[in-house]
Amino acid sequence: MIKQNDNSKLVLKFGASLLAISVFYVSAAQSPALNNSEVLTFEKAIKAAQKNDPWLTGNMHKQRAIESMSHAVNTLPDPKVSISLANLPVNGFDFGQEGMTQAKVGISQMFPRGDSLGIKSQQLKIQSEAFPFQRKDRESKVAVTVGSLWLDAYRVQQSIALIEKNRSLFLQLVDVAEVSYSSALGKTRQQDIVRAQLELTRLEDRLSLLAQQQNRYEGMLSQWLTTLSSENTSQDEAILASDFFLHNLVLSQQLPEIELLNNDLVAKNIWLKPMELVQYFASHPAVLAVDKQINATKTGINLAQQKYKPEWGVNASYGYRSDDAMGSSRADLFSVGVTFDVPLFTENRQDNELKSAISETEAVKTGKILLLRELLGAYSSAKGRLLRLKERQSLYSTRLLPQIHDQAEASLSAYTNDDGDFSEVVRSRIAVLNTEIDELTLNVEEQKIRLELNYLFIGSLNTANTPNNMHISNSTQAAVVSGNK
């Protein structure tokens, strides 16, 4: 009897030892290496999205359209030519019967008011200068959007990996509980076995939920990774291509480390006044684009002032007359004249057009103020979240994670020595898994906030006007991704 009890205890201790070993290997296990050509890295995702963004192409075509129009409007209207028969007698329709009868050829040319052509051309040119800044802002926003989606997909993928690693541990827990329960000597109860199986079922449910989230983020990423083009094809045909599979994306196992632009301003717990912060956002591409719109509307005021000047026209005609009935030659006739309007009644037209141009300029100025306030609010929110996040990360790394692991080891050691509760072992392992996933979420969230902050300070990079480039330089793109200037 004593020997049978010893054998049962030996079986129980052996199972518990296997459990302890499995805990070590689960925590140390690494994902298998993947082929680099099949891996979608953080940088690849952003570059592919920026390269395949049709918005940038459309914006470039809009710029070219306005540039072409700026040249077209700075041209005088085409002269008008008139050909007519004048004063033809109706009693015989004889061209030589009357001396006033003549064949006339005339030409007229209109000259717009003041310098309205040059001003309109200048206005369109200024409008076209806003498009390169709009493209830079767009590419930066794409980097933030796609980068955040990639990070969310990475978080889900790594969470699934953590749960898959721990699932084998819970399978081992069930086996150990069954060995202990069947031996009739351990402290394991039937409800402990049910509890272990329940936790295993919950893990499977969490895996299903994470798989749903993974499909969601993959679908949202796929719209940025595809190339949809209708060039050189019929209207109903299109080329849909992608360098990556649109389902079951394989992401890099490495979490990117995004360096902060203006790190001294952002990372320290120092808060500047709004007026001091505005200078950092004054060179933001979105703000510079609004500045161009303001300059264009100011030119519109000057254009409206030209309406007070007269519009001029010059006309000339040559009239041919035939010989009279006696055969005597008649002199041909030449006429020249000038026409112009007199803008005397300006109250209902010119005055209101000028007021409209002034109000439009002021409206665009308020748009700039709203944009700066939005950037300031986004900065305040992102910086505050980043500082609090750093505090939580420090708490997790220095205190919470070590304490959770110590608790798990202590509960397992106590259970191995028949001095602990099996349910406590299960709870401690669940706590370890949840804490590791929470730490992963914190690390991913930090990189997402860094992306947001780098977008706000993208104006600190080179924002020179490059109207002939379809895409911005890689320096801006790399800065949003890694923070390197």
Side-chain angles (χ1 to χ4, degrees):
M1 183 67 178
I2 296 176
K3 184 176 181 181
Q4 183 179 0
N5 292 342
D6 291 340
N7 290 336
S8 300
K9 289 183 178 181
L10 181 62
V11 171
L12 178 61
K13 287 183 176 291
F14 179 72
S17 300
L18 285 178
L19 177 60
I21 294 174
S22 65
V23 170
F24 172 77
Y25 278 107
V26 165
S27 61
Q30 299 293 333
S31 300
L34 298 171
N35 188 355
N36 290 333
S37 61
E38 300 175 354
V39 174
L40 178 62
T41 65
F42 182 75
E43 292 80 4
K44 281 183 180 179
I46 291 179
K47 290 179 180 179
Q50 291 173 330
K51 180 180 178 182
N52 299 329
D53 188 8
W55 189 96
L56 298 175
T57 304
N59 183 268
M60 189 65 194
H61 286 304
K62 290 180 181 179
Q63 179 185 351
R64 291 173 178 172
I66 293 182
E67 287 176 345
S68 299
M69 186 58 65
S70 68
H71 294 291
V73 298
N74 195 18
T75 305
L76 289 174
D78 294 331
K80 296 181 179 180
V81 177
S82 61
I83 301 175
S84 63
L85 288 175
N87 305 316
L88 185 67
V90 296
N91 59 353
F93 297 98
D94 185 2
F95 187 77
Q97 177 181 336
E98 302 292 338
M100 297 177 62
T101 302
Q102 53 187 297
K104 294 181 63 177
V105 177
I107 184 171
S108 63
Q109 176 67 59
M110 298 300 298
F111 298 91
R113 308 175 190 276
D115 191 25
S116 59
L117 293 183
I119 295 174
K120 183 62 176 177
S121 176
Q122 181 184 7
Q123 184 183 38
L124 292 174
K125 184 178 180 181
I126 295 175
Q127 290 179 0
S128 69
E129 292 174 354
F131 287 92
F133 297 112
Q134 293 175 2
R135 290 196 293 274
K136 291 179 182 181
D137 181 61
R138 170 71 177 189
E139 288 206 345
S140 301
K141 286 182 177 178
V142 168
V144 175
T145 301
V146 176
S148 297
L149 287 174
W150 189 96
L151 289 170
D152 284 329
Y154 172 86
R155 173 183 57 80
V156 172
Q157 176 179 280
Q158 295 302 312
S159 298
I160 292 175
L162 285 173
I163 294 177
E164 288 286 2
K165 293 176 185 177
N166 281 270
R167 186 165 62 170
S168 61
L169 171 63
F170 282 95
L171 288 172
Q172 189 68 34
L173 279 173
V174 173
D175 293 339
V176 171
E178 291 176 348
V179 170
S180 177
Y181 179 73
S182 62
S183 66
L185 295 174
K187 297 173 63 177
T188 303
R189 298 161 295 181
Q190 184 177 11
Q191 65 184 39
D192 293 332
I193 299 177
V194 175
R195 172 67 186 275
Q197 293 174 340
L198 174 62
E199 294 299 337
L200 185 61
T201 304
R202 285 179 175 175
L203 285 182
E204 293 176 353
D205 179 65
R206 291 179 69 176
L207 285 174
S208 298
L209 179 61
L210 288 171
Q212 289 180 347
Q213 297 180 9
Q214 187 177 26
N215 291 335
R216 176 192 174 198
Y217 292 125
E218 285 179 354
M220 297 173 70
L221 265 176
S222 65
Q223 68 167 315
W224 296 100
L225 301 179
T226 56
T227 302
L228 183 61
S229 174
S230 59
E231 296 180 0
N232 300 324
T233 61
S234 63
Q235 185 177 359
D236 298 331
E237 294 179 352
I239 301 175
L240 182 61
S242 175
D243 295 333
F244 310 97
F245 293 105
L246 302 185
H247 183 64
N248 292 332
L249 294 173
V250 180
L251 305 184
S252 171
Q253 302 296 314
Q254 184 68 31
L255 180 66
E257 291 291 336
I258 302 173
E259 298 181 10
L260 282 173
L261 300 175
N262 292 317
N263 182 71
D264 294 337
L265 176 65
V266 175
K268 296 181 180 179
N269 196 9
I270 300 175
W271 296 86
L272 299 180
K273 296 181 179 179
M275 293 306 298
E276 297 173 329
L277 281 172
V278 166
Q279 60 179 333
Y280 290 96
F281 304 134
S283 58
H284 193 279
V287 177
L288 294 177
V290 176
D291 285 336
K292 293 296 182 181
Q293 295 176 7
I294 294 175
N295 293 336
T297 54
K298 287 181 178 179
T299 308
I301 296 176
N302 193 9
L303 182 62
Q305 291 173 342
Q306 302 300 309
K307 298 293 182 67
Y308 290 93
K309 298 180 180 181
E311 183 179 30
W312 292 81
V314 177
N315 60 81
S317 63
Y318 180 86
Y320 168 77
R321 297 196 300 173
S322 64
D323 297 340
D324 59 17
M326 302 298 295
S328 300
S329 176
R330 293 191 179 110
D332 296 336
L333 303 176
F334 175 74
S335 302
V336 63
V338 176
T339 62
F340 59 92
D341 59 4
V342 182
L344 294 179
F345 310 104
T346 62
E347 181 177 359
N348 292 329
R349 184 176 180 182
Q350 286 87 344
D351 292 351
N352 286 321
E353 288 182 354
L354 180 59
K355 292 178 182 179
S356 175
I358 294 174
S359 296
E360 185 177 356
T361 301
E362 296 302 319
V364 178
K365 287 181 180 179
T366 59
K368 179 180 178 180
I369 295 174
L370 290 173
L371 177 58
L372 288 173
R373 290 174 59 181
E374 182 180 346
L375 295 176
L376 287 171
Y379 167 76
S380 177
S381 173
K383 178 175 180 177
R385 287 184 288 130
L386 181 63
L387 293 178
R388 297 297 174 265
L389 192 66
K390 299 296 288 184
E391 293 177 0
R392 292 189 65 193
Q393 286 177 319
S394 176
L395 178 65
Y396 266 72
S397 61
T398 59
R399 296 170 56 186
L400 189 55
L401 271 174
Q403 290 173 359
I404 290 290
H405 281 288
D406 290 343
Q407 180 189 20
E409 292 177 3
S411 61
L412 179 61
S413 177
Y415 178 71
T416 303
N417 297 318
D418 283 340
D419 192 27
D421 188 7
F422 179 80
S423 61
E424 183 62 28
V425 176
V426 175
R427 284 195 297 268
S428 63
R429 291 312 308 174
I430 290 293
V432 169
L433 174 61
N434 291 336
T435 306
E436 289 177 347
I437 293 178
D438 289 342
E439 184 190 31
L440 170 66
T441 303
L442 290 178
N443 294 335
V444 170
E445 186 65 23
E446 179 191 4
Q447 303 307 316
K448 292 174 66 176
I449 296 176
R450 286 172 175 262
L451 268 179
E452 297 176 19
L453 287 168
N454 280 356
Y455 166 74
L456 299 177
F457 292 103
I458 197 65
S460 61
L461 302 175
N462 181 23
T463 54
N465 192 355
T466 55
N468 295 324
N469 293 334
M470 181 65 72
H471 301 289
I472 66 172
S473 61
N474 291 332
S475 61
T476 303
Q477 168 185 305
V480 177
V481 174
S482 62
N484 295 324
K485 293 187 179 181

